[in-house]
Amino acid sequence: MRLTPEELSARKKRNLALAGALVAFIVLVFTTTVLKMRGNLDDRKEAAAAGRIVSPAP
């Protein structure tokens, strides 16, 4: 079965949209992870400054 040029064009557009959504999801997960890690490090530094933990993380 051969696809028409219109069907091939529609398939390409769908694939590009799916690829874009996947990249956006990966960027979202990465950004969320980095921000949560940074927040945890900041909380740990604050706790060390307040004397609630013995030594801060490097």
Side-chain angles (χ1 to χ4, degrees), residues 33-57:
T33 301
V34 169
L35 291 175
K36 287 185 90 45
M37 287 174 61
R38 183 175 295 167
N40 287 340
L41 288 174
D42 292 342
D43 290 345
R44 189 173 181 102
K45 286 179 185 177
E46 289 176 14
R52 290 182 290 196
I53 59 174
V54 177
S55 62

Side-chain angles (χ1 to χ4, degrees), residues 5-47:
E6 293 83 18
E7 291 171 328
L8 289 172
S9 176
R11 178 190 284 180
K12 184 174 182 178
K13 288 178 184 178
R14 273 194 314 271
N15 287 343
L16 288 174
L18 185 59
L22 184 58
V23 168
F25 177 72
I26 291 169
V27 168
L28 176 67
V29 169
F30 177 77
T31 304
T32 302
T33 301
V34 169
L35 291 175
K36 287 185 90 45
M37 287 174 61
R38 183 175 295 167
N40 287 340
L41 288 174
D42 292 342
D43 290 345
R44 189 173 181 102
K45 286 179 185 177
E46 289 176 14

